[in-house]
């Protein structure tokens, strides 16, 4: 492979950013100075090509330092890593975080997604538009930032040698204007959790999330000790008997997954913690990572021990800088205290919802575009780098700690027959006390909303979006649905990621539906036709349907939406396309645009 | 020593078995490792495909070949899914017809598919695809033709993003990696780095991307010019098979000749030497054959 670079040299700063990750170049072939020996030696081969997974970290370093990725910078990175520039360009342009045109060092990302919309994000955006011009340069609109309990939310980024990235929530017009004029931003603090019994969340607020000693004082690393006593088979047996189901959205039996990886003959095995929580309205994994990071690391250690994984990755979404720092600190401390006998690499997402899909996440770790792979083969056989891989969501993993310590029977005593344990729900939107709530599986939606203080005074419920953008709308009549996997399935809904966005009569359902349609259009990876074009057509037709005067929508347009929905559900490669029409279909029923079945 | 090397055992893989599958109610034996598409073809079931090509790794992105497999929640792509014993496959159920129709409609409503083969038109009418039903003001990939060199043009308003050219430029044939898929979602497109013109890119003008393009998005400059001038007429063209005169590899060429001049060069997909791929000389170095008259 001949890497041709014609874009001119990188700037000193760009080189420093790349070299900061890769070390100094050793020869002309890597873009360094010319030595006489270079005329006779060629670098390349497997050793160079195997550096491909470093592409995203390198791109992050450039983006952090300079604020955008120029052609010179990208080509220098390509030379260092032996990656064809055309492929690397495909990667840069895939992720929303990387810019290929020059931008100011300072950027404010303002969330205008569902929960923030309910909290006045649109008004905030129009004020900013008024003061600083349309979104795109100094300030940008962003999909959900996972700070829905403190909506409206924003993320400040300042590129430079000392790169800064800070979540600001709640954000006001005054704060946003101050930040954009170069001023300071207020310290943003986690919301105190509601005062009620907690299992999974019991350490939150009680421990210092930056200290392993504090974690150990509160029962930390008891589970790992117990796991070693049980042995790998024993741990898998407990997890299987606890009937733990995955909390990421697909509800796959965790024990079965662990067993498959443990028994996979191919080596090495990888463990990946999926912390790319990007479902609009979801922030449970962020809270766990920010406030109980050692639990995540300990659970990963147990999972790796049980399934024989030699290397771990924790893929945390790019918009969670604090969670990333806390997890990195936790890993370092665990290493220093001898609690970690394998490597966990923290990988940073770059603004792509699709990377929460497990196989897209693998591709992203491998330094490629985050395009999902076709399944089968499943990750337990052919996963990261083509090897057997255990992928679990943060919440799923943290559940394992209690299963190991208390035993499967005690764990399964909570919840329902088919959905054991407790579940974290992220309440946002028009409720009195938005936040993270832990309830036993099977609690009704009505009870959950009451826990959060119910609606504001004098308001009536319009709908609840259960499971985020990939979930569906639940009506007032369905509020008594038990929140368990089987309970929600019975009414055609899903628990999904645990997002519960409550909409009262002040919410503009049409705008909400259009935002969801835009979300999927923006976040489709573009690989398969049903999703790439289907999400675009869905948004276009939805605009037509919703702008028609009441009850005047053409039945042909309604049919179109149904047709597109079915093709996306049936023929898309991954879950994004398969669920991209759920919320919209159920929302149209809610709006009485589409007749309810039966 | 060479005889030692020769004497070493060569692992040829486990012996392959036949597995029983049923397609549309017909039972048949298929060799393990083959795809559902291969099995369908054994029964002469015409399965639409766009992104699939025998010489390339299946990417299963166009989703027009989807079939229904009993027990599977979603439809599965026939081009890449391997047959398994006992699979019950339906290739013409209502769900399959619906998805195939929609895929064709979605594509044709956003891409200019007028230069696709007649086969594609046949599938469109078989599945009743009416791309106009999405309305007039819909997003498309329409854009000006890219002409930045003398050998071939790129008309991405005809691109259905089947990934074939990227595969042919990459590990499946040429290993040049001059183009890749850039952007995301509906903005995804085939591009060089920072959309530089081809002469600035790593392109070596092998033209293998043209060879695999199913929609006429990539085209010989000669063909493009003749189409613009209205002189392109396939009914007046003959195809002459010959062997490339340049080096000793022996690539088979198909010279497409109109009015006694070569207008396009291809190579047969099933040729054991080329698998359809050529180099810049075989593909574009034919002018010397037809310069004599002008002397």
């Amino acid at each position: 492979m001949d890497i041709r670079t014609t874009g001119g040299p990188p700037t000193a700063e760009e080189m420093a950013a790349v070299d900061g990750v890769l070390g100094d170049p050793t020869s002309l072939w890597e873009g360094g100075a010319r030595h006489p020996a270079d005329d006779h030696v060629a670098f390349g081969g497997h050793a160079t090509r195997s550096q491909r997974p470093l592409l995203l970290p390198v791109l992050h370093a450039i983006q952090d330092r300079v604020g955008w990725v120029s052609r010179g910078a990208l080509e220098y990175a390509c030379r260092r890593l032996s990656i064809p520039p055309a492929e690397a360009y495909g990667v840069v342009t895939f992720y929303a975080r990387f810019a290929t045109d020059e931008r100011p060092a300072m950027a404010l990302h303002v969330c205008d997604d569902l929960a923030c919309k309910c909290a006045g994000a649109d008004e905030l955006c129009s004020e900013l538009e008024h003061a600083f011009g349309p979104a795109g340069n100094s300030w940008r609109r962003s999909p959900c930032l996972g700070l829905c309990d403190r909506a409206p939310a924003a993320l400040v980024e300042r590129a430079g040698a000392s790169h800064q990235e800070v979540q600001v929530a709640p954000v006001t017009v005054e704060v946003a204007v101050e930040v954009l004029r170069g001023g300071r931003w207020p310290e943003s603090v986690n919301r105190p959790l509601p005062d009620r019994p907690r299992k999974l969340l019991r350490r939150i607020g009680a421990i210092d999330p930056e200290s392993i000693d504090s974690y150990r004082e509160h029962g930390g690393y008891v589970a790992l000790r117990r796991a070693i006593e049980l042995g790998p088979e024993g741990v898998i047996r407990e997890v299987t008997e606890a009937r733990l189901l995955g909390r990421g959205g697909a509800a796959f039996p965790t024990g079965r997954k662990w067993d498959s990886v443990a028994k996979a003959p191919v080596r090495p095995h990888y463990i990946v913690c999926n912390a790319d929580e990007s479902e609009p309205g979801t922030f449970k994994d962020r809270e766990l990572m920010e406030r109980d990071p050692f639990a995540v690391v300990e659970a990963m250690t147990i999972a790796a021990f049980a399934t024989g994984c030699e290397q771990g990755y924790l893929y945390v979404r790019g918009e969670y800088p604090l969670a990333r720092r806390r997890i990195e600190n936790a890993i370092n401390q665990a290493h220093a205290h001898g609690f970690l006998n394998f490597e966990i690499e923290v990988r940073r997402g770059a603004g792509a919802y699709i990377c929460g899909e497990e196989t897209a996440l693998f591709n992203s770790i491998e330094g490629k575009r985050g395009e999902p792979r076709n399944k089968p083969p499943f990750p337990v056989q052919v996963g990261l780098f083509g090897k057997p891989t255990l992928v679990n969501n943060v919440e799923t993993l943290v559940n394992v700690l209690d299963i190991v310590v208390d035993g499967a029977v005690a764990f399964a005593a909570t919840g329902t027959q088919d959905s054991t344990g407790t579940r974290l729900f992220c309440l946002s939107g028009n409720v009195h006390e938005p936040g993270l709530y832990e309830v036993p599986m099977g609690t009704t939606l009505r009870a959950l909303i009451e826990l959060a203080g119910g609606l504001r005074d004098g308001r009536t419920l319009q709908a609840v979006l259960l499971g985020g953008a990939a979930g569906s709308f639940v009506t007032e009549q369905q509020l008594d649905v038990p929140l368990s996997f089987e309970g929600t399935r019975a009414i055609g809904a899903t628990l999904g990621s645990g997002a519960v966005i409550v909409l009262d009569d002040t919410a503009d359902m049409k705008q909400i539906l259009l935002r969801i349609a835009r979300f999927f259009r923006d976040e489709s990876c573009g690989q398969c036709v049903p999703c790439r074009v289907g999400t675009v057509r869905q948004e276009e037709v939805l605009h037509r349907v919703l702008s028609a005067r009441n009850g005047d929508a053409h039945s042909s347009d309604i049919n179109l939406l149904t047709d597109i929905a079915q093709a996306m559900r049936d023929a898309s490669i991954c879950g994004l396309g398969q669920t991209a029409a759920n919320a919209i279909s159920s929302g149209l029923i809610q709006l009485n645009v589409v007749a309810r079945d039966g | 020593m060479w005889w030692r090397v020769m004497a070493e055992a060569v692992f040829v893989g486990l012996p392959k078995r036949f597995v029983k599958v049923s397609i549309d109610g017909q039972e048949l034996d298929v060799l393990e490792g083959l795809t559902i598409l291969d099995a369908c073809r054994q029964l002469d079931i015409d399965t639409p495909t766009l992104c699939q090509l025998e010489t390339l790794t299946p990417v299963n992105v166009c989703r027009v070949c989807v079939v229904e497999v009993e027990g599977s929640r979603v439809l599965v792509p026939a081009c890449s899914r391997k047959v398994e014993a006992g699979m019950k496959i339906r290739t013409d159920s209502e769900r399959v017809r619906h998805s195939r129709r929609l895929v064709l409609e979605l594509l044709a409503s956003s891409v200019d598919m007028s230069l696709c083969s007649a086969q594609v038109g046949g599938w469109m009418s078989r599945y009743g695809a009416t791309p106009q039903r999405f309305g007039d003001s819909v997003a498309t990939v329409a854009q000006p033709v890219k002409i930045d060199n003398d050998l071939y043009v790129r008309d991405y308003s005809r691109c259905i993003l089947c990934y074939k050219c990227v595969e042919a430029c990459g590990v499946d044939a040429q290993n040049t990696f001059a183009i890749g898929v850039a952007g995301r979602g509906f903005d995804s497109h085939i591009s060089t780095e920072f959309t530089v013109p081809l002469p600035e890119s790593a392109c070596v003008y092998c033209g293998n991307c043209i060879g695999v393009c199913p929609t006429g998005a990539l085209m010989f400059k000669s063909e493009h010019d003749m189409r613009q001038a209205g002189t392109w007429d396939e009914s007046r063209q003959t195809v002459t098979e010959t062997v490339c005169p340049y080096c000793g590899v022996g690539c088979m060429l198909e010279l497409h000749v109109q009015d006694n001049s070569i207008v396009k060069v291809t190579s047969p997909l099933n040729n054991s030497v080329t698998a359809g791929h050529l180099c810049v000389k075989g593909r574009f170095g034919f002018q010397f054959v037809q310069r004599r008259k002008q002397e």
Side-chain angles (χ1 to χ4, degrees):
Chain A
M1 177 174 59
D2 175 30
I3 293 185
R4 193 156 181 235
T5 49
T6 52
T11 64
E13 226 181 341
E14 289 164 347
M15 280 179 80
V18 177
D19 295 345
V21 179
L22 300 176
D24 288 331
T26 51
S27 78
L28 170 76
W29 298 93
E30 290 187 322
R34 186 180 196 119
H35 302 289
D38 291 342
D39 298 346
H40 308 286
V41 188
F43 288 78
H46 186 73
T48 318
R49 284 198 306 276
S50 66
Q51 297 188 86
R52 176 73 187 250
L54 292 172
L55 180 58
L56 260 89
V58 165
L59 292 175
H60 274 300
I62 300 172
Q63 180 75 34
D64 284 354
R65 183 76 179 253
V66 196
W68 67 293
V69 183
S70 73
R71 196 171 150 201
L74 185 73
E75 289 186 344
Y76 180 64
C78 288
R79 214 156 252 298
R80 294 291 323 264
L81 295 169
S82 194
I83 298 173
E87 269 196 22
Y89 180 70
V91 175
V92 176
T93 51
F94 184 87
Y95 296 95
R97 170 156 205 263
F98 305 130
T100 52
D101 46 347
E102 192 162 2
R103 293 208 179 148
M106 175 80 192
L108 183 73
H109 304 266
V110 182
C111 173
D112 69 347
D113 221 317
L114 307 177
C116 288
K117 217 179 239 312
C118 296
D122 288 334
E123 293 72 30
L124 175 65
C125 285
S126 57
E127 293 272 349
L128 291 180
E129 217 157 75
H130 188 67
F132 298 96
N137 208 21
S138 56
W139 73 281
R140 259 159 264 159
R141 286 168 185 268
S142 160
C144 182
L145 291 169
L147 296 162
C148 322
D149 52 339
R150 287 176 269 159
L155 185 75
V156 189
E157 260 197 281
R158 186 177 281 160
S162 58
H163 166 252
Q164 284 174 301
E165 206 177 355
V166 185
Q167 296 152 320
V168 184
V171 64
T172 57
V173 178
E174 294 73 40
V175 169
V177 169
E178 171 78 8
V179 168
L180 282 170
R181 296 222 164 104
R184 295 294 311 160
W185 45 82
E187 179 108 1
S188 195
V189 285
N190 290 86
R191 217 182 148 86
L193 288 191
D195 186 25
R196 49 184 315 277
R198 304 191 300 246
K199 248 180 108 202
L200 214 56
L201 301 176
R202 64 178 173 274
R203 279 178 299 267
I204 288 189
I207 64 161
D208 171 5
E210 310 218 328
S211 152
I212 196 167
D213 295 328
S214 169
Y215 177 63
R216 292 182 68 194
E217 278 163 24
H218 289 81
Y221 283 105
V222 171
L224 181 60
R225 192 176 299 273
R226 177 78 187 124
I228 291 168
E229 284 165 19
L230 286 169
E233 293 85 6
V235 173
I236 295 179
R237 192 183 58 238
E238 293 293 330
V239 173
T240 309
E241 284 173 6
R243 301 193 301 281
L244 175 65
L245 300 181
R247 307 299 204 226
F252 190 82
T254 307
R256 189 135 49 97
K257 200 189 265 186
W258 286 29
D259 192 46
S260 305
V261 175
K263 286 186 178 145
V266 178
R267 290 270 159 186
H269 294 178
Y270 291 106
I271 175 171
V272 175
C273 174
N274 185 347
D276 191 49
E277 174 179 72
S278 317
E279 189 64 56
T282 315
F283 47 88
K284 63 189 174 70
D285 295 343
R286 174 183 58 73
E287 289 279 310
L288 282 171
M289 287 185 289
E290 286 178 353
R291 306 170 83 177
D292 198 5
F294 292 97
V296 182
V297 176
E298 184 184 359
M300 272 184 88
T301 316
I302 292 172
F305 167 73
T307 56
C309 292
E310 282 100 331
Q311 163 86 38
Y313 288 90
L314 190 141
Y315 190 99
V316 54
R317 90 175 275 216
E319 292 80 358
Y320 287 175
L322 179 63
R324 192 171 69 242
R325 275 199 299 277
R326 294 256 162 95
I327 285 282
E328 275 168 355
N329 170 61
I331 291 171
N332 290 340
Q333 290 201 21
H335 255 305
H337 285 74
F339 285 120
L340 208 53
N341 63 348
F342 71 117
E343 289 301 321
I344 300 179
E345 206 177 304
V346 176
R347 298 304 289 262
R348 178 175 169 194
Y353 169 70
I354 187 60
C355 287
E357 200 281 339
E358 51 191 11
T359 56
L361 191 152
F362 298 155
N363 279 342
S364 186
I365 292 179
E366 291 178 18
K368 300 173 187 162
R369 294 164 58 79
E371 292 175 347
R373 305 171 184 170
N374 210 59
K375 289 188 266 193
F378 292 96
V380 290
Q381 288 131 17
V382 182
L384 185 62
F385 303 113
K387 304 295 180 195
T389 304
L390 177 69
V391 197
N392 277 139
N393 169 263
V394 174
E395 186 191 345
T396 315
L397 282 171
V398 174
N399 267 299
V400 168
L401 299 178
D402 286 345
I403 295 177
V404 168
V405 174
D406 304 337
V409 177
F411 180 85
T414 316
T416 67
Q417 180 60 27
D418 292 329
S419 312
T420 52
T422 57
R423 182 79 215 247
L424 302 184
F425 287 101
C426 316
L427 268 89
S428 64
N430 307 125
V431 281
H432 236 285
E433 285 292 326
L436 190 57
Y437 290 82
E438 180 179 12
V439 291
M441 286 275 194
T443 308
T444 64
L445 182 55
R446 190 183 300 277
L448 182 68
I449 294 175
E450 271 158 25
L451 278 181
L455 300 179
R456 287 172 303 180
D457 290 340
R459 293 282 152 227
T460 53
L461 184 80
Q462 191 169 184
V464 179
L465 181 58
L466 200 56
S472 53
F473 285 97
V474 171
T475 57
E476 169 92 58
Q477 293 78 38
Q478 297 170 314
L479 278 190
D480 289 311
V481 58
L483 294 172
S484 61
F485 295 111
E486 67 281 7
T488 46
R489 206 177 299 131
I491 61 159
T494 164
L495 289 185
S497 58
V500 180
I501 304 175
V502 181
L503 304 168
D504 67 17
D505 54 342
T506 60
D508 184 344
M509 271 296 277
K510 291 184 177 180
Q511 289 304 315
I512 297 274
L513 288 188
L514 287 171
R515 181 66 187 93
I516 294 174
R518 180 155 67 85
F519 176 80
F520 282 112
R521 178 188 184 148
D522 290 346
E523 297 296 338
S524 165
C525 82
Q527 199 185 185
C528 70
V529 176
C531 177
R532 179 179 76 233
V533 192
T535 51
V536 172
R537 293 288 174 266
Q538 171 172 266
E539 194 199 9
E540 290 166 350
V541 179
L542 186 67
H543 261 290
R544 284 209 299 264
V545 167
L546 294 183
S547 58
R549 268 173 294 128
N550 268 351
D552 218 21
H554 282 287
S555 61
S556 63
D557 278 344
I558 303 287
N559 288 342
L560 268 182
L561 281 178
T562 324
D563 280 358
I564 297 168
Q566 195 189 329
M568 287 202 287
R569 193 172 308 128
D570 278 348
S572 295
I573 293 180
C574 78
L576 187 152
Q578 287 160 14
T579 57
N582 283 3
I584 289 163
S585 306
S586 63
L588 286 177
I589 295 176
Q590 171 72 25
L591 277 177
N592 287 322
V593 178
V594 178
R596 204 180 301 270
D597 294 337
Chain B
M1 269 157 266
W2 67 267
W3 59 86
R4 284 243 177 109
V5 178
M6 297 288 287
E8 265 176 33
V10 177
F11 183 63
V12 292
L14 294 168
K16 291 212 167 136
R17 293 166 302 182
F18 280 92
V19 294
K20 269 208 189 323
V21 300
S22 120
I23 301 182
D24 297 336
Q26 291 188 67
E27 296 264 332
L28 78 159
D29 292 313
V30 189
L31 197 62
E32 206 178 32
L34 292 185
T35 62
I36 295 177
L37 182 66
D38 297 323
C40 290
R41 286 180 176 169
Q42 278 183 25
L43 289 181
D44 288 329
I45 297 171
D46 177 32
T47 309
T49 56
L50 289 168
C51 68
Q52 185 271 346
L53 198 69
E54 287 73 17
T55 52
L56 303 173
T57 318
V59 286
N60 58 66
V61 297
C62 77
R63 315 304 279 187
V64 79
C65 69
V66 286
V67 294
E68 200 169 341
V69 172
E70 206 177 278
S72 168
R73 184 174 50 87
V74 291
L75 302 179
V76 305
C79 67
S80 64
R81 183 67 178 269
K82 303 256 194 305
V83 288
E84 292 155 29
M87 249 184 187
K88 288 198 169 49
I89 299 156
R90 296 176 70 196
T91 69
D92 205 36
S93 68
E94 193 45 49
R95 272 176 89 193
V96 170
R97 293 182 64 88
H98 179 86
S99 279
R100 289 183 179 177
R101 171 187 176 201
L102 259 289
V103 164
L104 290 167
E105 284 179 336
L106 290 171
L107 274 180
S109 69
S110 55
V111 182
D112 177 358
M113 290 176 77
S114 56
L115 290 184
C116 289
S117 69
Q119 222 182 0
V120 177
W123 296 325
M124 302 263 290
S125 51
R126 189 208 293 171
Y127 295 108
T130 42
Q132 309 80 344
R133 70 192 184 113
F134 294 110
D136 306 325
S137 53
V138 292
T140 68
V141 295
Q143 57 189 292
V145 186
K146 282 186 164 54
I147 307 177
D148 53 15
N149 66 87
D150 295 334
L151 299 180
Y152 79 99
V153 300
R154 298 175 290 156
D155 182 359
Y156 288 129
S157 59
R158 298 180 187 282
C159 176
I160 57 166
L161 222 63
C162 67
Y163 288 53
K164 279 181 184 169
C165 55
V166 178
E167 291 200 290
C169 191
V171 287
D172 278 350
Q174 192 61 29
N175 280 289
T176 289
F177 307 97
I179 47 172
V181 182
R184 186 167 83 191
F186 195 69
D187 298 327
S188 294
H189 57 282
I190 307 294
S191 176
T192 55
E193 64 273 19
F194 286 86
T195 58
V196 299
L198 280 182
E200 272 187 58
S201 77
C203 178
V204 295
Y205 303 97
C206 62
N208 289 333
C209 51
I210 314 177
V212 296
C213 180
T215 61
L218 305 174
M219 193 183 275
F220 272 66
K221 178 95 178 349
S222 49
E223 179 179 344
H224 176 76
D225 290 347
M226 287 173 76
R227 282 185 186 274
Q228 291 300 100
T231 53
W232 181 263
D233 184 357
E234 274 172 30
S235 66
R236 274 158 52 207
Q237 290 175 9
T238 54
V239 177
T240 304
E241 290 189 351
T242 182
V243 173
C244 180
Y246 281 103
C247 77
V249 170
C251 296
M252 181 184 269
L253 303 181
E254 295 169 325
L255 307 175
H256 299 248
V257 179
Q258 181 178 335
D259 304 334
N260 211 25
S261 60
I262 300 169
V263 292
K264 180 164 91 172
V265 179
T266 56
S267 181
L269 274 188
N270 58 3
N271 183 258
S272 60
V273 179
T274 65
H277 307 306
L278 294 170
C279 77
V280 59
K281 289 186 270 186
R283 184 82 65 181
F284 293 110
F286 52 77
Q287 286 80 0
F288 73 96
V289 183
Q290 48 197 34
R291 274 296 152 115
R292 284 197 192 137
K293 261 187 279 175
Q294 293 174 3
E295 282 167 13

